Amino acid sequence: MILDKVNAVRLINNISKEVIIVNDCSKDDTEEAILAYKASHPELPISYYKHEVNQGKGAALRTGIQKATGDWVVIQDADLEYDPNEYNILLKPILDGFADVVYGSRFMGGKPHRILFFWHSIGNRWLTSLSNMLTNLNLTDMETCYKLFRREIVQRIKLEENRFGFEPEITAKVSRVPGIRIYEVGISYYGRTYEEGKKIGWKDGFRAIYCILKYNLFR
């Protein structure tokens, strides 16, 4: 379970963790599993929120970001494609005083990376390039899940997207924050196939193009 991995992580400088879980109206036993874990692991501070209607990843992230009270906010999907042991890699540029936002890139560094879909990787790189042209950033992986923010910065940004459009939207909007310092670090990626539960598809790719144009050209 992802919560076991999050719980096991020991953050540098003895930083304490605040875990915010948003259940976007799951129809399985997700809620029972979360509440049972929370009750049996009092050492891990967990705040649990539930959407009564399914709204999408972006809506869940908005709820989680709004509820955060710590100094930094990192996004974590529950599907184990990203390794919580790498939180410290994301934190280091911020703790060293260089960054305000850190993206974890699946396409740089020497970390493990599951070999999966050629056209997905081409699509991700193309979307990142299009985003870069309009934000004037030089990211290698705009679509990554792992994004770490100073809380006061990300909570000031008005977010609108309900689904996977969150990634290009937040990138466009954070790029316009005056004086923002954005860093990128290499991370691992343990991707899933569609048979294993992957949900993002070609329609989300077209939505990403729309969001890149919308939030950069029509801001």
Side-chain angles (χ1 to χ4, degrees):
M1 176 185 276
I2 185 64
L3 287 173
D4 286 325
K5 289 182 173 288
V6 172
N7 197 12
V9 173
R10 295 297 173 259
L11 300 177
I12 48 179
N13 296 354
N14 293 316
I15 294 172
S16 59
K17 287 171 288 190
E18 170 193 40
V19 179
I20 299 172
I21 300 173
V22 181
N23 178 1
D24 192 37
C25 195
S26 296
K27 300 298 186 183
D28 54 17
D29 61 352
T30 295
E31 182 169 63
E32 290 77 7
I34 292 169
L35 295 178
Y37 192 94
K38 180 178 180 180
S40 61
H41 294 79
E43 77 283 0
L44 184 65
I46 296 176
S47 298
Y48 174 65
Y49 302 94
K50 179 181 179 181
H51 289 169
E52 296 303 325
V53 176
N54 181 269
Q55 300 175 59
K57 175 180 177 177
L61 289 175
R62 279 203 307 276
T63 296
I65 289 168
Q66 291 163 3
K67 300 297 184 180
T69 62
D71 294 327
W72 305 286
V73 176
V74 65
I75 296 168
Q76 174 73 61
D77 288 345
D79 56 15
L80 297 175
E81 288 191 332
Y82 295 80
D83 185 2
N85 284 307
E86 297 181 352
Y87 290 163
N88 287 322
I89 298 174
L90 296 163
L91 273 168
K92 192 173 187 305
I94 286 185
L95 296 180
D96 287 346
F98 296 117
D100 303 301
V101 176
V102 181
Y103 279 49
S105 172
R106 297 165 288 179
F107 304 128
M108 63 183 288
K111 300 292 183 181
H113 184 149
R114 184 178 181 182
I115 302 303
L116 281 174
F117 307 113
F118 172 77
W119 290 111
H120 271 205
S121 64
I122 293 297
N124 279 339
R125 292 174 191 270
W126 189 86
L127 290 172
T128 296
S129 296
L130 178 61
S131 174
N132 285 344
M133 284 190 285
L134 298 178
T135 59
N136 198 29
L137 301 176
N138 64 339
L139 293 168
T140 66
D141 192 6
M142 177 271 296
E143 290 281 355
T144 181
C145 162
Y146 266 2
K147 295 176 173 72
L148 177 69
F149 307 91
R150 291 189 183 276
R151 178 181 56 82
E152 66 272 16
I153 289 175
V154 72
Q155 285 184 339
R156 287 200 304 262
I157 295 174
K158 184 179 184 299
L159 297 168
E160 304 168 41
E161 288 298 308
N162 282 339
R163 283 182 52 79
F164 295 103
F166 169 86
E167 315 296 355
E169 179 190 8
I170 190 66
T171 301
K173 291 181 176 179
V174 81
S175 73
R176 297 197 295 270
V177 175
I180 195 75
R181 299 170 301 169
I182 304 173
Y183 270 64
E184 195 174 43
V185 295
I187 59 167
S188 307
Y189 181 60
Y190 303 91
R192 297 181 300 161
T193 65
Y194 285 103
E195 291 74 21
E196 293 167 332
K198 194 170 188 67
K199 294 182 174 61
I200 193 167
W202 63 269
K203 290 182 180 179
D204 297 299
F206 281 107
R207 181 68 188 185
I209 295 171
Y210 170 81
C211 291
I212 290 170
L213 299 176
K214 175 182 178 181
Y215 295 111
N216 283 287
L217 298 180
F218 307 102
R219 48 190 162 179

PDB file of all heavy atoms in Angstrom, residues 62-98:
ATOM      1  N   ARG A  62      -6.919  20.044  -5.985  1.00  0.00           N
ATOM      2  CA  ARG A  62      -7.341  21.340  -5.440  1.00  0.00           C
ATOM      3  C   ARG A  62      -7.750  21.208  -3.983  1.00  0.00           C
ATOM      4  O   ARG A  62      -7.370  22.024  -3.140  1.00  0.00           O
ATOM      5  CB  ARG A  62      -8.506  21.919  -6.255  1.00  0.00           C
ATOM      6  CG  ARG A  62      -8.118  22.612  -7.513  1.00  0.00           C
ATOM      7  CD  ARG A  62      -9.174  23.620  -7.965  1.00  0.00           C
ATOM      8  NE  ARG A  62     -10.502  23.031  -8.053  1.00  0.00           N
ATOM      9  CZ  ARG A  62     -10.955  22.369  -9.106  1.00  0.00           C
ATOM     10  NH1 ARG A  62     -10.185  22.173 -10.155  1.00  0.00           N
ATOM     11  NH2 ARG A  62     -12.194  21.885  -9.115  1.00  0.00           N
ATOM     12  N   THR A  63      -8.536  20.183  -3.687  1.00  0.00           N
ATOM     13  CA  THR A  63      -8.959  19.961  -2.301  1.00  0.00           C
ATOM     14  C   THR A  63      -7.752  19.731  -1.408  1.00  0.00           C
ATOM     15  O   THR A  63      -7.636  20.330  -0.328  1.00  0.00           O
ATOM     16  CB  THR A  63      -9.900  18.745  -2.224  1.00  0.00           C
ATOM     17  OG1 THR A  63     -11.091  19.026  -2.970  1.00  0.00           O
ATOM     18  CG2 THR A  63     -10.283  18.439  -0.778  1.00  0.00           C
ATOM     19  N   GLY A  64      -6.835  18.862  -1.828  1.00  0.00           N
ATOM     20  CA  GLY A  64      -5.662  18.560  -1.018  1.00  0.00           C
ATOM     21  C   GLY A  64      -4.782  19.779  -0.792  1.00  0.00           C
ATOM     22  O   GLY A  64      -4.313  20.025   0.328  1.00  0.00           O
ATOM     23  N   ILE A  65      -4.563  20.558  -1.843  1.00  0.00           N
ATOM     24  CA  ILE A  65      -3.720  21.756  -1.728  1.00  0.00           C
ATOM     25  C   ILE A  65      -4.348  22.762  -0.771  1.00  0.00           C
ATOM     26  O   ILE A  65      -3.665  23.368   0.066  1.00  0.00           O
ATOM     27  CB  ILE A  65      -3.491  22.376  -3.121  1.00  0.00           C
ATOM     28  CG1 ILE A  65      -2.553  21.484  -3.950  1.00  0.00           C
ATOM     29  CG2 ILE A  65      -2.923  23.790  -3.012  1.00  0.00           C
ATOM     30  CD1 ILE A  65      -2.490  21.845  -5.414  1.00  0.00           C
ATOM     31  N   GLN A  66      -5.649  22.948  -0.878  1.00  0.00           N
ATOM     32  CA  GLN A  66      -6.333  23.911  -0.003  1.00  0.00           C
ATOM     33  C   GLN A  66      -6.261  23.508   1.467  1.00  0.00           C
ATOM     34  O   GLN A  66      -6.247  24.372   2.357  1.00  0.00           O
ATOM     35  CB  GLN A  66      -7.793  24.048  -0.445  1.00  0.00           C
ATOM     36  CG  GLN A  66      -7.984  24.730  -1.786  1.00  0.00           C
ATOM     37  CD  GLN A  66      -9.372  24.490  -2.371  1.00  0.00           C
ATOM     38  OE1 GLN A  66     -10.233  23.850  -1.747  1.00  0.00           O
ATOM     39  NE2 GLN A  66      -9.598  24.981  -3.579  1.00  0.00           N
ATOM     40  N   LYS A  67      -6.214  22.204   1.742  1.00  0.00           N
ATOM     41  CA  LYS A  67      -6.215  21.723   3.119  1.00  0.00           C
ATOM     42  C   LYS A  67      -4.818  21.641   3.730  1.00  0.00           C
ATOM     43  O   LYS A  67      -4.687  21.434   4.939  1.00  0.00           O
ATOM     44  CB  LYS A  67      -6.862  20.335   3.188  1.00  0.00           C
ATOM     45  CG  LYS A  67      -8.307  20.283   2.709  1.00  0.00           C
ATOM     46  CD  LYS A  67      -9.227  21.139   3.575  1.00  0.00           C
ATOM     47  CE  LYS A  67     -10.682  20.982   3.132  1.00  0.00           C
ATOM     48  NZ  LYS A  67     -11.606  21.802   3.968  1.00  0.00           N
ATOM     49  N   ALA A  68      -3.776  21.785   2.919  1.00  0.00           N
ATOM     50  CA  ALA A  68      -2.407  21.634   3.412  1.00  0.00           C
ATOM     51  C   ALA A  68      -2.042  22.744   4.397  1.00  0.00           C
ATOM     52  O   ALA A  68      -2.446  23.897   4.233  1.00  0.00           O
ATOM     53  CB  ALA A  68      -1.428  21.630   2.244  1.00  0.00           C
ATOM     54  N   THR A  69      -1.270  22.390   5.419  1.00  0.00           N
ATOM     55  CA  THR A  69      -0.823  23.379   6.413  1.00  0.00           C
ATOM     56  C   THR A  69       0.692  23.386   6.584  1.00  0.00           C
ATOM     57  O   THR A  69       1.224  24.231   7.289  1.00  0.00           O
ATOM     58  CB  THR A  69      -1.461  23.096   7.788  1.00  0.00           C
ATOM     59  OG1 THR A  69      -1.030  21.806   8.246  1.00  0.00           O
ATOM     60  CG2 THR A  69      -2.982  23.127   7.703  1.00  0.00           C
ATOM     61  N   GLY A  70       1.397  22.453   5.959  1.00  0.00           N
ATOM     62  CA  GLY A  70       2.849  22.372   6.110  1.00  0.00           C
ATOM     63  C   GLY A  70       3.574  23.411   5.278  1.00  0.00           C
ATOM     64  O   GLY A  70       2.972  24.226   4.580  1.00  0.00           O
ATOM     65  N   ASP A  71       4.895  23.383   5.338  1.00  0.00           N
ATOM     66  CA  ASP A  71       5.717  24.351   4.598  1.00  0.00           C
ATOM     67  C   ASP A  71       5.774  24.025   3.111  1.00  0.00           C
ATOM     68  O   ASP A  71       5.901  24.924   2.279  1.00  0.00           O
ATOM     69  CB  ASP A  71       7.139  24.383   5.161  1.00  0.00           C
ATOM     70  CG  ASP A  71       7.175  24.930   6.583  1.00  0.00           C
ATOM     71  OD1 ASP A  71       6.348  25.807   6.900  1.00  0.00           O
ATOM     72  OD2 ASP A  71       8.026  24.486   7.370  1.00  0.00           O
ATOM     73  N   TRP A  72       5.721  22.735   2.780  1.00  0.00           N
ATOM     74  CA  TRP A  72       5.842  22.308   1.390  1.00  0.00           C
ATOM     75  C   TRP A  72       4.739  21.313   1.053  1.00  0.00           C
ATOM     76  O   TRP A  72       4.255  20.589   1.912  1.00  0.00           O
ATOM     77  CB  TRP A  72       7.211  21.663   1.139  1.00  0.00           C
ATOM     78  CG  TRP A  72       8.341  22.553   1.533  1.00  0.00           C
ATOM     79  CD1 TRP A  72       8.800  23.678   0.890  1.00  0.00           C
ATOM     80  CD2 TRP A  72       9.158  22.455   2.716  1.00  0.00           C
ATOM     81  NE1 TRP A  72       9.841  24.260   1.575  1.00  0.00           N
ATOM     82  CE2 TRP A  72      10.081  23.529   2.701  1.00  0.00           C
ATOM     83  CE3 TRP A  72       9.191  21.538   3.775  1.00  0.00           C
ATOM     84  CZ2 TRP A  72      11.016  23.712   3.700  1.00  0.00           C
ATOM     85  CZ3 TRP A  72      10.132  21.728   4.781  1.00  0.00           C
ATOM     86  CH2 TRP A  72      11.024  22.804   4.729  1.00  0.00           C
ATOM     87  N   VAL A  73       4.378  21.281  -0.212  1.00  0.00           N
ATOM     88  CA  VAL A  73       3.333  20.372  -0.692  1.00  0.00           C
ATOM     89  C   VAL A  73       3.911  19.539  -1.831  1.00  0.00           C
ATOM     90  O   VAL A  73       4.424  20.095  -2.811  1.00  0.00           O
ATOM     91  CB  VAL A  73       2.103  21.151  -1.205  1.00  0.00           C
ATOM     92  CG1 VAL A  73       1.070  20.192  -1.793  1.00  0.00           C
ATOM     93  CG2 VAL A  73       1.490  21.986  -0.091  1.00  0.00           C
ATOM     94  N   VAL A  74       3.831  18.218  -1.718  1.00  0.00           N
ATOM     95  CA  VAL A  74       4.236  17.323  -2.796  1.00  0.00           C
ATOM     96  C   VAL A  74       3.026  16.491  -3.215  1.00  0.00           C
ATOM     97  O   VAL A  74       2.232  16.070  -2.374  1.00  0.00           O
ATOM     98  CB  VAL A  74       5.413  16.415  -2.383  1.00  0.00           C
ATOM     99  CG1 VAL A  74       5.027  15.459  -1.266  1.00  0.00           C
ATOM    100  CG2 VAL A  74       5.946  15.637  -3.593  1.00  0.00           C
ATOM    101  N   ILE A  75       2.879  16.294  -4.513  1.00  0.00           N
ATOM    102  CA  ILE A  75       1.759  15.527  -5.050  1.00  0.00           C
ATOM    103  C   ILE A  75       2.155  14.065  -5.153  1.00  0.00           C
ATOM    104  O   ILE A  75       3.231  13.739  -5.667  1.00  0.00           O
ATOM    105  CB  ILE A  75       1.348  16.077  -6.430  1.00  0.00           C
ATOM    106  CG1 ILE A  75       0.843  17.523  -6.276  1.00  0.00           C
ATOM    107  CG2 ILE A  75       0.300  15.195  -7.073  1.00  0.00           C
ATOM    108  CD1 ILE A  75       0.690  18.255  -7.590  1.00  0.00           C
ATOM    109  N   GLN A  76       1.281  13.186  -4.677  1.00  0.00           N
ATOM    110  CA  GLN A  76       1.546  11.739  -4.724  1.00  0.00           C
ATOM    111  C   GLN A  76       0.287  11.011  -5.190  1.00  0.00           C
ATOM    112  O   GLN A  76      -0.747  11.053  -4.532  1.00  0.00           O
ATOM    113  CB  GLN A  76       1.953  11.225  -3.331  1.00  0.00           C
ATOM    114  CG  GLN A  76       2.099   9.718  -3.242  1.00  0.00           C
ATOM    115  CD  GLN A  76       3.337   9.211  -3.948  1.00  0.00           C
ATOM    116  OE1 GLN A  76       4.456   9.572  -3.597  1.00  0.00           O
ATOM    117  NE2 GLN A  76       3.133   8.370  -4.954  1.00  0.00           N
ATOM    118  N   ASP A  77       0.370  10.337  -6.348  1.00  0.00           N
ATOM    119  CA  ASP A  77      -0.713   9.450  -6.749  1.00  0.00           C
ATOM    120  C   ASP A  77      -0.656   8.189  -5.894  1.00  0.00           C
ATOM    121  O   ASP A  77       0.386   7.839  -5.348  1.00  0.00           O
ATOM    122  CB  ASP A  77      -0.591   9.074  -8.229  1.00  0.00           C
ATOM    123  CG  ASP A  77      -0.929  10.240  -9.152  1.00  0.00           C
ATOM    124  OD1 ASP A  77      -1.522  11.224  -8.673  1.00  0.00           O
ATOM    125  OD2 ASP A  77      -0.591  10.149 -10.349  1.00  0.00           O
ATOM    126  N   ALA A  78      -1.771   7.470  -5.834  1.00  0.00           N
ATOM    127  CA  ALA A  78      -1.848   6.274  -4.993  1.00  0.00           C
ATOM    128  C   ALA A  78      -1.480   4.993  -5.735  1.00  0.00           C
ATOM    129  O   ALA A  78      -1.541   3.909  -5.159  1.00  0.00           O
ATOM    130  CB  ALA A  78      -3.260   6.134  -4.422  1.00  0.00           C
ATOM    131  N   ASP A  79      -1.081   5.099  -7.008  1.00  0.00           N
ATOM    132  CA  ASP A  79      -0.932   3.906  -7.848  1.00  0.00           C
ATOM    133  C   ASP A  79       0.474   3.298  -7.863  1.00  0.00           C
ATOM    134  O   ASP A  79       0.739   2.371  -8.633  1.00  0.00           O
ATOM    135  CB  ASP A  79      -1.362   4.215  -9.278  1.00  0.00           C
ATOM    136  CG  ASP A  79      -0.589   5.393  -9.874  1.00  0.00           C
ATOM    137  OD1 ASP A  79       0.452   5.779  -9.319  1.00  0.00           O
ATOM    138  OD2 ASP A  79      -1.047   5.934 -10.907  1.00  0.00           O
ATOM    139  N   LEU A  80       1.379   3.820  -7.038  1.00  0.00           N
ATOM    140  CA  LEU A  80       2.730   3.253  -6.885  1.00  0.00           C
ATOM    141  C   LEU A  80       3.609   3.411  -8.123  1.00  0.00           C
ATOM    142  O   LEU A  80       4.636   2.742  -8.243  1.00  0.00           O
ATOM    143  CB  LEU A  80       2.664   1.773  -6.485  1.00  0.00           C
ATOM    144  CG  LEU A  80       2.013   1.478  -5.124  1.00  0.00           C
ATOM    145  CD1 LEU A  80       1.907  -0.026  -4.905  1.00  0.00           C
ATOM    146  CD2 LEU A  80       2.812   2.121  -4.003  1.00  0.00           C
ATOM    147  N   GLU A  81       3.247   4.305  -9.052  1.00  0.00           N
ATOM    148  CA  GLU A  81       4.124   4.566 -10.191  1.00  0.00           C
ATOM    149  C   GLU A  81       5.324   5.421  -9.780  1.00  0.00           C
ATOM    150  O   GLU A  81       6.341   5.434 -10.473  1.00  0.00           O
ATOM    151  CB  GLU A  81       3.358   5.275 -11.311  1.00  0.00           C
ATOM    152  CG  GLU A  81       2.378   4.380 -12.041  1.00  0.00           C
ATOM    153  CD  GLU A  81       1.821   5.012 -13.310  1.00  0.00           C
ATOM    154  OE1 GLU A  81       1.752   6.255 -13.372  1.00  0.00           O
ATOM    155  OE2 GLU A  81       1.468   4.271 -14.219  1.00  0.00           O
ATOM    156  N   TYR A  82       5.187   6.140  -8.668  1.00  0.00           N
ATOM    157  CA  TYR A  82       6.254   7.018  -8.170  1.00  0.00           C
ATOM    158  C   TYR A  82       6.638   6.586  -6.757  1.00  0.00           C
ATOM    159  O   TYR A  82       5.781   6.177  -5.978  1.00  0.00           O
ATOM    160  CB  TYR A  82       5.790   8.478  -8.166  1.00  0.00           C
ATOM    161  CG  TYR A  82       5.509   9.040  -9.548  1.00  0.00           C
ATOM    162  CD1 TYR A  82       4.304   8.766 -10.193  1.00  0.00           C
ATOM    163  CD2 TYR A  82       6.434   9.837 -10.204  1.00  0.00           C
ATOM    164  CE1 TYR A  82       4.024   9.273 -11.460  1.00  0.00           C
ATOM    165  CE2 TYR A  82       6.174  10.358 -11.466  1.00  0.00           C
ATOM    166  CZ  TYR A  82       4.964  10.067 -12.087  1.00  0.00           C
ATOM    167  OH  TYR A  82       4.704  10.572 -13.334  1.00  0.00           O
ATOM    168  N   ASP A  83       7.906   6.711  -6.432  1.00  0.00           N
ATOM    169  CA  ASP A  83       8.458   6.160  -5.199  1.00  0.00           C
ATOM    170  C   ASP A  83       8.615   7.235  -4.122  1.00  0.00           C
ATOM    171  O   ASP A  83       9.441   8.139  -4.265  1.00  0.00           O
ATOM    172  CB  ASP A  83       9.822   5.532  -5.500  1.00  0.00           C
ATOM    173  CG  ASP A  83      10.421   4.832  -4.292  1.00  0.00           C
ATOM    174  OD1 ASP A  83       9.766   4.804  -3.224  1.00  0.00           O
ATOM    175  OD2 ASP A  83      11.544   4.318  -4.419  1.00  0.00           O
ATOM    176  N   PRO A  84       7.852   7.156  -3.025  1.00  0.00           N
ATOM    177  CA  PRO A  84       7.972   8.147  -1.951  1.00  0.00           C
ATOM    178  C   PRO A  84       9.378   8.248  -1.350  1.00  0.00           C
ATOM    179  O   PRO A  84       9.705   9.270  -0.742  1.00  0.00           O
ATOM    180  CB  PRO A  84       6.965   7.645  -0.905  1.00  0.00           C
ATOM    181  CG  PRO A  84       5.958   6.888  -1.691  1.00  0.00           C
ATOM    182  CD  PRO A  84       6.740   6.204  -2.784  1.00  0.00           C
ATOM    183  N   ASN A  85      10.192   7.208  -1.511  1.00  0.00           N
ATOM    184  CA  ASN A  85      11.567   7.294  -1.021  1.00  0.00           C
ATOM    185  C   ASN A  85      12.354   8.423  -1.677  1.00  0.00           C
ATOM    186  O   ASN A  85      13.415   8.797  -1.187  1.00  0.00           O
ATOM    187  CB  ASN A  85      12.294   5.966  -1.255  1.00  0.00           C
ATOM    188  CG  ASN A  85      11.883   4.909  -0.256  1.00  0.00           C
ATOM    189  OD1 ASN A  85      11.940   5.122   0.951  1.00  0.00           O
ATOM    190  ND2 ASN A  85      11.430   3.756  -0.751  1.00  0.00           N
ATOM    191  N   GLU A  86      11.815   8.970  -2.759  1.00  0.00           N
ATOM    192  CA  GLU A  86      12.514  10.029  -3.479  1.00  0.00           C
ATOM    193  C   GLU A  86      12.034  11.428  -3.099  1.00  0.00           C
ATOM    194  O   GLU A  86      12.434  12.406  -3.716  1.00  0.00           O
ATOM    195  CB  GLU A  86      12.398   9.776  -4.987  1.00  0.00           C
ATOM    196  CG  GLU A  86      13.089   8.461  -5.354  1.00  0.00           C
ATOM    197  CD  GLU A  86      13.041   8.123  -6.838  1.00  0.00           C
ATOM    198  OE1 GLU A  86      12.335   8.822  -7.602  1.00  0.00           O
ATOM    199  OE2 GLU A  86      13.715   7.157  -7.229  1.00  0.00           O
ATOM    200  N   TYR A  87      11.205  11.529  -2.065  1.00  0.00           N
ATOM    201  CA  TYR A  87      10.818  12.858  -1.570  1.00  0.00           C
ATOM    202  C   TYR A  87      12.047  13.701  -1.231  1.00  0.00           C
ATOM    203  O   TYR A  87      12.079  14.914  -1.472  1.00  0.00           O
ATOM    204  CB  TYR A  87       9.950  12.745  -0.315  1.00  0.00           C
ATOM    205  CG  TYR A  87       8.563  12.196  -0.514  1.00  0.00           C
ATOM    206  CD1 TYR A  87       7.828  11.724   0.563  1.00  0.00           C
ATOM    207  CD2 TYR A  87       7.962  12.146  -1.774  1.00  0.00           C
ATOM    208  CE1 TYR A  87       6.542  11.214   0.409  1.00  0.00           C
ATOM    209  CE2 TYR A  87       6.685  11.638  -1.941  1.00  0.00           C
ATOM    210  CZ  TYR A  87       5.984  11.172  -0.848  1.00  0.00           C
ATOM    211  OH  TYR A  87       4.714  10.667  -1.011  1.00  0.00           O
ATOM    212  N   ASN A  88      13.046  13.073  -0.658  1.00  0.00           N
ATOM    213  CA  ASN A  88      14.228  13.825  -0.251  1.00  0.00           C
ATOM    214  C   ASN A  88      14.994  14.383  -1.447  1.00  0.00           C
ATOM    215  O   ASN A  88      15.643  15.434  -1.340  1.00  0.00           O
ATOM    216  CB  ASN A  88      15.147  12.946   0.602  1.00  0.00           C
ATOM    217  CG  ASN A  88      14.594  12.722   1.992  1.00  0.00           C
ATOM    218  OD1 ASN A  88      14.012  13.611   2.599  1.00  0.00           O
ATOM    219  ND2 ASN A  88      14.747  11.506   2.510  1.00  0.00           N
ATOM    220  N   ILE A  89      14.924  13.686  -2.579  1.00  0.00           N
ATOM    221  CA  ILE A  89      15.547  14.205  -3.801  1.00  0.00           C
ATOM    222  C   ILE A  89      14.852  15.493  -4.220  1.00  0.00           C
ATOM    223  O   ILE A  89      15.489  16.469  -4.631  1.00  0.00           O
ATOM    224  CB  ILE A  89      15.481  13.150  -4.926  1.00  0.00           C
ATOM    225  CG1 ILE A  89      16.258  11.898  -4.534  1.00  0.00           C
ATOM    226  CG2 ILE A  89      16.018  13.724  -6.241  1.00  0.00           C
ATOM    227  CD1 ILE A  89      16.129  10.759  -5.535  1.00  0.00           C
ATOM    228  N   LEU A  90      13.528  15.497  -4.111  1.00  0.00           N
ATOM    229  CA  LEU A  90      12.754  16.690  -4.464  1.00  0.00           C
ATOM    230  C   LEU A  90      12.989  17.828  -3.474  1.00  0.00           C
ATOM    231  O   LEU A  90      13.041  19.007  -3.846  1.00  0.00           O
ATOM    232  CB  LEU A  90      11.267  16.347  -4.499  1.00  0.00           C
ATOM    233  CG  LEU A  90      10.812  15.333  -5.550  1.00  0.00           C
ATOM    234  CD1 LEU A  90       9.431  14.790  -5.199  1.00  0.00           C
ATOM    235  CD2 LEU A  90      10.777  15.955  -6.936  1.00  0.00           C
ATOM    236  N   LEU A  91      13.127  17.476  -2.208  1.00  0.00           N
ATOM    237  CA  LEU A  91      13.276  18.497  -1.166  1.00  0.00           C
ATOM    238  C   LEU A  91      14.627  19.214  -1.199  1.00  0.00           C
ATOM    239  O   LEU A  91      14.722  20.387  -0.827  1.00  0.00           O
ATOM    240  CB  LEU A  91      13.108  17.856   0.214  1.00  0.00           C
ATOM    241  CG  LEU A  91      11.699  17.731   0.773  1.00  0.00           C
ATOM    242  CD1 LEU A  91      11.695  16.830   2.000  1.00  0.00           C
ATOM    243  CD2 LEU A  91      11.126  19.106   1.116  1.00  0.00           C
ATOM    244  N   LYS A  92      15.662  18.523  -1.632  1.00  0.00           N
ATOM    245  CA  LYS A  92      17.019  19.065  -1.475  1.00  0.00           C
ATOM    246  C   LYS A  92      17.211  20.447  -2.105  1.00  0.00           C
ATOM    247  O   LYS A  92      17.768  21.351  -1.449  1.00  0.00           O
ATOM    248  CB  LYS A  92      18.052  18.087  -2.030  1.00  0.00           C
ATOM    249  CG  LYS A  92      19.483  18.436  -1.639  1.00  0.00           C
ATOM    250  CD  LYS A  92      20.454  17.356  -2.061  1.00  0.00           C
ATOM    251  CE  LYS A  92      21.853  17.650  -1.517  1.00  0.00           C
ATOM    252  NZ  LYS A  92      22.371  18.976  -1.885  1.00  0.00           N
ATOM    253  N   PRO A  93      16.782  20.697  -3.351  1.00  0.00           N
ATOM    254  CA  PRO A  93      16.990  22.044  -3.904  1.00  0.00           C
ATOM    255  C   PRO A  93      16.281  23.143  -3.126  1.00  0.00           C
ATOM    256  O   PRO A  93      16.748  24.282  -3.073  1.00  0.00           O
ATOM    257  CB  PRO A  93      16.428  21.931  -5.332  1.00  0.00           C
ATOM    258  CG  PRO A  93      16.486  20.475  -5.650  1.00  0.00           C
ATOM    259  CD  PRO A  93      16.213  19.776  -4.355  1.00  0.00           C
ATOM    260  N   ILE A  94      15.134  22.802  -2.502  1.00  0.00           N
ATOM    261  CA  ILE A  94      14.426  23.798  -1.697  1.00  0.00           C
ATOM    262  C   ILE A  94      15.149  24.029  -0.375  1.00  0.00           C
ATOM    263  O   ILE A  94      15.378  25.170   0.042  1.00  0.00           O
ATOM    264  CB  ILE A  94      12.966  23.364  -1.453  1.00  0.00           C
ATOM    265  CG1 ILE A  94      12.149  23.539  -2.735  1.00  0.00           C
ATOM    266  CG2 ILE A  94      12.337  24.164  -0.317  1.00  0.00           C
ATOM    267  CD1 ILE A  94      10.679  23.255  -2.600  1.00  0.00           C
ATOM    268  N   LEU A  95      15.528  22.942   0.292  1.00  0.00           N
ATOM    269  CA  LEU A  95      16.201  23.075   1.589  1.00  0.00           C
ATOM    270  C   LEU A  95      17.576  23.717   1.449  1.00  0.00           C
ATOM    271  O   LEU A  95      18.063  24.367   2.384  1.00  0.00           O
ATOM    272  CB  LEU A  95      16.324  21.703   2.251  1.00  0.00           C
ATOM    273  CG  LEU A  95      15.000  21.030   2.617  1.00  0.00           C
ATOM    274  CD1 LEU A  95      15.247  19.683   3.271  1.00  0.00           C
ATOM    275  CD2 LEU A  95      14.173  21.916   3.547  1.00  0.00           C
ATOM    276  N   ASP A  96      18.203  23.548   0.290  1.00  0.00           N
ATOM    277  CA  ASP A  96      19.501  24.191   0.051  1.00  0.00           C
ATOM    278  C   ASP A  96      19.361  25.657  -0.309  1.00  0.00           C
ATOM    279  O   ASP A  96      20.360  26.355  -0.505  1.00  0.00           O
ATOM    280  CB  ASP A  96      20.253  23.463  -1.073  1.00  0.00           C
ATOM    281  CG  ASP A  96      20.791  22.115  -0.624  1.00  0.00           C
ATOM    282  OD1 ASP A  96      20.814  21.855   0.597  1.00  0.00           O
ATOM    283  OD2 ASP A  96      21.184  21.308  -1.491  1.00  0.00           O
ATOM    284  N   GLY A  97      18.120  26.135  -0.416  1.00  0.00           N
ATOM    285  CA  GLY A  97      17.872  27.555  -0.653  1.00  0.00           C
ATOM    286  C   GLY A  97      17.870  27.972  -2.107  1.00  0.00           C
ATOM    287  O   GLY A  97      17.915  29.173  -2.411  1.00  0.00           O
ATOM    288  N   PHE A  98      17.774  27.001  -3.037  1.00  0.00           N
ATOM    289  CA  PHE A  98      17.834  27.337  -4.455  1.00  0.00           C
ATOM    290  C   PHE A  98      16.459  27.421  -5.126  1.00  0.00           C
ATOM    291  O   PHE A  98      16.309  28.134  -6.111  1.00  0.00           O
ATOM    292  CB  PHE A  98      18.678  26.295  -5.207  1.00  0.00           C
ATOM    293  CG  PHE A  98      20.123  26.262  -4.795  1.00  0.00           C
ATOM    294  CD1 PHE A  98      20.665  25.131  -4.221  1.00  0.00           C
ATOM    295  CD2 PHE A  98      20.936  27.373  -4.985  1.00  0.00           C
ATOM    296  CE1 PHE A  98      21.995  25.102  -3.833  1.00  0.00           C
ATOM    297  CE2 PHE A  98      22.263  27.351  -4.600  1.00  0.00           C
ATOM    298  CZ  PHE A  98      22.802  26.216  -4.026  1.00  0.00           C
TER     299      PHE A  98
END
